Amino acid sequence: MEERNGQKWWKTSVIYQIYPRSFKDSDGDGIGDLNGIIEKLDYLEELGIDAVWLSPVCKSPQDDNGYDISDYQDIDPLFGSLLDMERLIKEAGEHGIKIIMDLVLNHTSDEHRWFQEAKKSRDNPYHDYYVWRDGEEGVLPNDMRACFGGPAWEWVPELSQYYFHQFSVRQPDLNWENEAVRREIYDMIRWWMEKGVGGFRLDVIDQIAKEPDLKITGNGPRLHEFIRELSCETFQKGDIVTVGECWGADTERAKLYSAPDGSEFSMVFQFEHIMLDSVPGREKWDLAPLPFVKLKEVLNKWQCELQGSGWNSLFWDNHDLPRIVSRWGNDKEYRVESAKMLATVLHGMQGTPYIYQGEELGMTNTDYEIGEYRDIETLHMYEERLEAGYSEEEIMRSIHAKGRDNARTPMQWSGGQGAGFTTGTPWIRINDNYREINAETEAADPWSVFHYYKRLIHLRKEYPVFVHGSFRLLLEDDPNIFAYVREWEGVRLLVLCNFFGSEIWCPLKEMWEGKKRLLCNYQEVENEEILRPYEARMILI
């Protein structure tokens, strides 16, 4: 259905991200799979979400947990079969849920047929599907570094050439300058659209127009030309949602990515707010306290500048980020309250909210020993920082705070064996707190984080002000409170949140006194003029 109440369906939707490897294992091999997702469609329908974004399930040697695709038109046996995928699309649809696929179009696996052909000779038709430079062994084309560590160039002796890879050495970059590459990609996307997928998330899409000779990776000069052609040839031929992962996006670029005319994507993932607790100009591993007033300033900018001219993706968590309740909440004595507060801040804004699996339960970070981690980025960083002279304690503190495996621990379904995730040995250790934090326990508790998320999702569908309302930040310089007003056709929504763990006086009394309280993350009202630790209120004015 193209529109819902006169607008694009994805504007009133809430999207749930699944990391399939860690969601639900149906066959006891310790790895989540497509049939496991099918088993949990009733749970997802009860939560109230409208679409599921699947991290990659296409065939892959799993060097980077599926973000290294060896066949775009087949399913990796780890997760099932193409028939299982078709069944998931069909049965999810029967639950009112669309399936959004993760497309990795910047690079492939080195096991992809195209790359296997490309290495055979410089004259092979597939050679120019990738980015090559002449040279001699040991003399790199330039000093560019890969995101996962080491040089961005890999020598192929039989060709006397280097290929370019922005990520793992096993993830060679595609050459989007080659029209034949683009045509193959468009054919593949239309093939998936015909199978009934509801949309696509485009991995690191702002890096496809790279110019490595000029050391340009993101936001290359032909980027928007390529994206518009991609959209015209594929996305615009169906009623689907598209979201581009764009680490280098600012608000002006985001207006192009998410323009209302649909010429590029439906919306964009931008990361300005998520990078605030790192040391400026350094890596994400260099930790800094969250500059709270700056966080408000950044989110206010994105809300106001995209109003009417673009569309926001709203998220705290994903498969690459630590758990938000551990990061900016309190995952100990105020875990439930702070998880609800952070959800309130996010879901009250304009845009499409994303829930990452387990976020709706208040799942937390973990603190493995280094030998228990599986993430390639984490392991490379550990080795590089050891060599650079960092202490073991300092490195592990960074990993425990920011490592990607924090988000990749198995979903905690129950307090029983294997957390209800698997009957076998899980591919990565389950968080030790699964007996206290799990879906079974929270479904039975009407005051749980799970039921709070259900209410937030319902409110977005019940009140148009959540979707259409203008945004005005209040108390801009307050060091403790995140407050804003949404307004639409005479209806105003006040969101008032204590972002920290101390009681504070509740301001804006003239706005909230005597008004309808839609939601609060504490059961009992003790003193309306005090905001308790991490207290959140949504008030209809």
Side-chain angles (χ1 to χ4, degrees), residues 133-175:
R133 292 294 180 266
D134 294 339
E136 58 183 272
E137 187 171 8
V139 183
L140 300 171
N142 59 30
D143 62 356
M144 291 184 72
R145 305 285 292 175
C147 294
F148 293 164
W153 299 97
E154 181 69 8
W155 179 248
V156 179
E158 55 266 39
L159 297 175
S160 295
Q161 284 187 310
Y162 287 91
Y163 68 83
F164 182 69
H165 60 94
Q166 293 186 63
F167 298 94
S168 162
V169 70
R170 299 196 60 193
Q171 292 170 296
D173 274 45
L174 287 165
N175 176 20

XYZ file of all heavy atoms in Angstrom, residues 133-175:
356
model
N 45.287 -0.669 -9.118
C 46.336 0.276 -9.483
C 47.619 -0.519 -9.763
O 47.936 -1.474 -9.053
C 46.599 1.288 -8.360
C 45.449 2.258 -8.111
C 45.189 3.191 -9.270
N 44.092 4.111 -9.019
C 42.820 3.905 -9.369
N 42.482 2.764 -9.973
N 41.906 4.802 -9.128
N 48.326 -0.091 -10.795
C 49.613 -0.713 -11.101
C 50.624 -0.367 -10.014
O 50.477 0.634 -9.295
C 50.144 -0.208 -12.445
C 49.270 -0.652 -13.608
O 48.522 -1.637 -13.435
O 49.335 -0.014 -14.672
N 51.645 -1.190 -9.928
C 52.679 -0.885 -8.942
C 53.691 -2.004 -8.871
O 53.754 -2.867 -9.740
N 54.467 -1.961 -7.830
C 55.411 -3.042 -7.569
C 55.268 -3.454 -6.115
O 54.889 -2.656 -5.254
C 56.835 -2.605 -7.878
C 57.319 -1.377 -7.109
C 58.725 -0.976 -7.538
O 59.670 -1.520 -6.923
O 58.857 -0.146 -8.454
N 55.538 -4.702 -5.862
C 55.309 -5.246 -4.534
C 56.106 -4.470 -3.496
O 57.297 -4.203 -3.662
C 55.699 -6.727 -4.500
C 55.343 -7.411 -3.198
C 55.523 -8.912 -3.266
O 56.075 -9.418 -4.266
O 55.106 -9.590 -2.300
N 55.412 -4.081 -2.443
C 56.050 -3.353 -1.355
C 56.031 -1.847 -1.527
O 56.386 -1.118 -0.603
N 55.628 -1.365 -2.704
C 55.524 0.082 -2.939
C 54.051 0.402 -3.166
O 53.524 0.259 -4.270
C 56.361 0.526 -4.156
C 56.282 2.044 -4.307
C 57.809 0.073 -3.997
N 53.354 0.801 -2.120
C 51.906 0.999 -2.171
C 51.551 2.210 -3.021
O 52.324 3.188 -3.090
C 51.357 1.196 -0.762
C 51.584 0.046 0.231
C 51.187 0.472 1.641
C 50.786 -1.176 -0.199
N 50.373 2.197 -3.673
C 49.947 3.361 -4.463
C 49.882 4.643 -3.638
O 50.177 5.724 -4.141
C 48.563 2.949 -4.971
C 48.623 1.447 -5.046
C 49.467 1.042 -3.870
N 49.458 4.535 -2.370
C 49.531 5.675 -1.440
C 49.410 5.132 -0.020
O 49.413 3.913 0.192
C 48.475 6.756 -1.756
C 47.039 6.231 -1.688
O 46.734 5.304 -0.932
N 46.151 6.830 -2.472
N 49.304 6.015 0.933
C 49.361 5.589 2.344
C 47.982 5.431 2.978
O 47.856 5.447 4.205
C 50.198 6.574 3.158
C 49.593 7.978 3.160
O 48.562 8.199 2.476
O 50.155 8.860 3.837
N 46.956 5.262 2.176
C 45.613 5.119 2.737
C 45.525 3.868 3.613
O 46.103 2.837 3.311
C 44.567 5.059 1.616
C 44.413 6.377 0.876
S 43.091 6.303 -0.359
C 41.641 6.302 0.689
N 44.748 3.995 4.704
C 44.573 2.901 5.650
C 43.161 2.339 5.553
O 42.204 3.064 5.277
C 44.813 3.394 7.079
C 46.151 4.064 7.309
C 47.275 3.057 7.375
N 47.180 2.212 8.579
C 47.997 1.205 8.811
N 48.952 0.886 7.926
N 47.877 0.480 9.913
N 43.029 1.043 5.795
C 41.721 0.402 5.834
C 41.067 0.653 7.189
O 41.754 0.810 8.206
C 41.851 -1.090 5.577
N 39.736 0.673 7.204
C 39.013 0.945 8.447
C 39.273 -0.113 9.512
O 39.193 0.186 10.705
C 37.516 1.024 8.164
S 37.041 2.417 7.124
N 39.565 -1.341 9.089
C 39.802 -2.415 10.046
C 41.292 -2.608 10.333
O 41.715 -3.605 10.899
C 39.211 -3.729 9.532
C 37.713 -3.738 9.465
C 37.047 -4.709 8.727
C 36.951 -2.791 10.128
C 35.652 -4.734 8.663
C 35.558 -2.798 10.069
C 34.921 -3.771 9.337
N 42.095 -1.634 9.937
C 43.522 -1.701 10.212
C 44.330 -2.129 9.005
O 43.854 -2.841 8.123
N 45.581 -1.669 8.939
C 46.483 -2.028 7.853
C 46.267 -1.177 6.617
O 45.369 -0.337 6.561
N 47.111 -1.374 5.583
C 46.974 -0.609 4.346
C 45.654 -0.911 3.642
O 45.075 -1.988 3.796
C 48.157 -1.083 3.492
C 49.082 -1.764 4.447
C 48.244 -2.309 5.543
N 45.178 0.060 2.846
C 43.952 -0.113 2.058
C 44.238 -0.749 0.703
O 43.340 -0.830 -0.144
C 43.259 1.240 1.871
N 45.478 -1.192 0.480
C 45.871 -1.782 -0.802
C 46.431 -3.186 -0.571
O 47.187 -3.406 0.372
C 46.941 -0.923 -1.490
C 46.483 0.464 -1.792
C 46.710 1.587 -1.050
C 45.733 0.894 -2.922
N 46.150 2.690 -1.637
C 45.533 2.291 -2.804
C 45.196 0.230 -4.049
C 44.824 3.036 -3.745
C 44.493 0.973 -4.987
C 44.323 2.356 -4.832
N 46.043 -4.119 -1.451
C 46.523 -5.494 -1.348
C 47.139 -5.924 -2.678
O 46.530 -5.766 -3.748
C 45.373 -6.433 -0.976
C 45.776 -7.884 -0.827
C 46.650 -8.155 0.391
O 46.829 -7.236 1.237
O 47.169 -9.302 0.510
N 48.335 -6.465 -2.602
C 49.105 -6.867 -3.783
C 48.607 -8.212 -4.329
O 48.378 -9.162 -3.584
C 50.567 -6.959 -3.409
C 51.509 -7.396 -4.505
C 52.203 -8.571 -4.578
C 51.891 -6.642 -5.654
N 52.978 -8.605 -5.703
C 52.808 -7.425 -6.393
C 51.545 -5.385 -6.142
C 53.380 -6.997 -7.580
C 52.114 -4.955 -7.328
C 53.022 -5.742 -8.039
N 48.433 -8.271 -5.661
C 48.101 -9.520 -6.347
C 49.245 -9.817 -7.309
O 49.346 -9.207 -8.384
C 46.762 -9.415 -7.102
C 46.449 -10.716 -7.831
C 45.629 -9.057 -6.141
N 50.151 -10.721 -6.945
C 51.388 -10.886 -7.718
C 51.159 -11.330 -9.160
O 51.886 -10.898 -10.055
C 52.164 -11.946 -6.927
C 51.192 -12.575 -6.001
C 50.143 -11.564 -5.736
N 50.145 -12.157 -9.406
C 49.936 -12.633 -10.772
C 49.501 -11.525 -11.725
O 49.623 -11.660 -12.942
C 48.928 -13.783 -10.808
C 47.578 -13.491 -10.175
C 47.489 -13.916 -8.720
O 48.497 -13.740 -8.013
O 46.424 -14.412 -8.304
N 49.021 -10.413 -11.184
C 48.620 -9.278 -12.016
C 49.594 -8.108 -11.915
O 49.469 -7.141 -12.676
C 47.224 -8.793 -11.612
C 46.058 -9.764 -11.796
C 44.777 -9.159 -11.241
C 45.870 -10.117 -13.267
N 50.513 -8.159 -10.969
C 51.394 -7.021 -10.662
C 50.570 -5.759 -10.429
O 50.889 -4.670 -10.917
C 52.407 -6.791 -11.793
O 53.290 -7.884 -11.889
N 49.498 -5.937 -9.669
C 48.602 -4.817 -9.340
C 48.147 -4.919 -7.887
O 48.167 -5.999 -7.282
C 47.360 -4.828 -10.249
C 47.604 -4.327 -11.668
C 46.291 -4.215 -12.420
O 45.478 -5.145 -12.450
N 46.069 -3.062 -13.048
N 47.726 -3.770 -7.387
C 47.077 -3.700 -6.086
C 45.573 -3.504 -6.279
O 45.156 -2.785 -7.194
C 47.594 -2.499 -5.281
C 48.990 -2.641 -4.741
C 50.092 -2.203 -5.472
C 49.206 -3.190 -3.479
C 51.377 -2.311 -4.958
C 50.492 -3.296 -2.961
C 51.566 -2.867 -3.700
O 52.832 -2.979 -3.189
N 44.764 -4.124 -5.404
C 43.344 -3.751 -5.364
C 43.073 -2.968 -4.089
O 43.775 -3.098 -3.082
C 42.417 -4.962 -5.498
C 42.408 -5.936 -4.343
C 41.625 -5.704 -3.201
C 43.138 -7.127 -4.396
C 41.606 -6.609 -2.151
C 43.118 -8.042 -3.349
C 42.343 -7.769 -2.233
O 42.310 -8.657 -1.187
N 42.032 -2.166 -4.138
C 41.683 -1.248 -3.059
C 40.593 -1.864 -2.184
O 39.629 -2.434 -2.687
C 41.194 0.070 -3.654
C 40.848 1.127 -2.641
C 41.837 1.734 -1.884
C 39.532 1.526 -2.456
C 41.527 2.710 -0.954
C 39.201 2.503 -1.533
C 40.206 3.099 -0.781
N 40.756 -1.757 -0.864
C 39.724 -2.242 0.069
C 39.651 -1.280 1.245
O 40.611 -1.076 1.966
C 40.037 -3.668 0.553
C 41.331 -3.808 1.278
N 41.427 -3.744 2.655
C 42.603 -4.000 0.831
C 42.687 -3.899 3.022
N 43.431 -4.044 1.931
N 38.480 -0.694 1.455
C 38.310 0.237 2.566
C 38.153 -0.488 3.900
O 38.348 0.112 4.961
C 37.077 1.113 2.333
C 37.222 2.063 1.152
C 36.044 2.995 1.055
O 35.798 3.796 1.954
N 35.309 2.903 -0.040
N 37.787 -1.755 3.843
C 37.530 -2.500 5.074
C 38.498 -3.682 5.145
O 39.698 -3.485 5.046
C 36.042 -2.890 5.131
C 35.156 -1.677 5.169
C 34.616 -1.147 4.001
C 34.911 -1.023 6.365
C 33.839 0.008 4.032
C 34.135 0.128 6.409
C 33.601 0.645 5.241
N 38.013 -4.888 5.330
C 38.908 -6.036 5.407
C 39.601 -6.275 4.069
O 39.081 -5.928 3.004
C 38.096 -7.278 5.806
O 38.798 -8.462 5.514
N 40.775 -6.919 4.130
C 41.491 -7.284 2.909
C 40.646 -8.247 2.070
O 40.840 -8.365 0.847
C 42.867 -7.889 3.270
C 42.694 -9.265 3.924
C 43.764 -8.006 2.049
N 39.680 -8.886 2.692
C 38.800 -9.810 1.987
C 37.509 -9.141 1.505
O 36.557 -9.822 1.111
C 38.472 -11.004 2.887
C 39.708 -11.805 3.300
C 39.343 -13.157 3.834
N 38.626 -13.943 2.827
C 37.969 -15.068 3.103
N 37.942 -15.537 4.338
N 37.336 -15.717 2.147
N 37.514 -7.793 1.498
C 36.345 -7.035 1.028
C 36.780 -6.018 -0.040
O 36.824 -4.818 0.211
C 35.672 -6.329 2.215
C 35.022 -7.285 3.204
C 34.579 -6.590 4.482
O 35.409 -6.071 5.242
N 33.288 -6.560 4.745
N 37.114 -6.500 -1.233
C 37.560 -5.574 -2.283
C 36.452 -4.614 -2.704
O 35.286 -5.011 -2.847
C 37.945 -6.509 -3.437
C 37.169 -7.763 -3.201
C 37.076 -7.900 -1.708
N 36.816 -3.356 -2.907
C 35.846 -2.326 -3.281
C 35.424 -2.456 -4.742
O 36.261 -2.655 -5.633
C 36.448 -0.935 -3.064
C 36.268 -0.453 -1.640
O 36.504 -1.249 -0.712
O 35.878 0.708 -1.465
N 34.118 -2.284 -4.965
C 33.589 -2.269 -6.327
C 33.886 -0.939 -7.000
O 33.977 0.110 -6.354
C 32.078 -2.513 -6.313
C 31.648 -3.953 -6.006
C 30.166 -3.993 -5.648
C 31.955 -4.866 -7.186
N 34.001 -0.988 -8.315
C 34.284 0.194 -9.132
C 32.983 0.703 -9.733
O 32.540 0.253 -10.789
C 35.281 -0.173 -10.237
C 35.528 0.988 -11.182
O 35.271 2.144 -10.835
N 36.015 0.687 -12.382
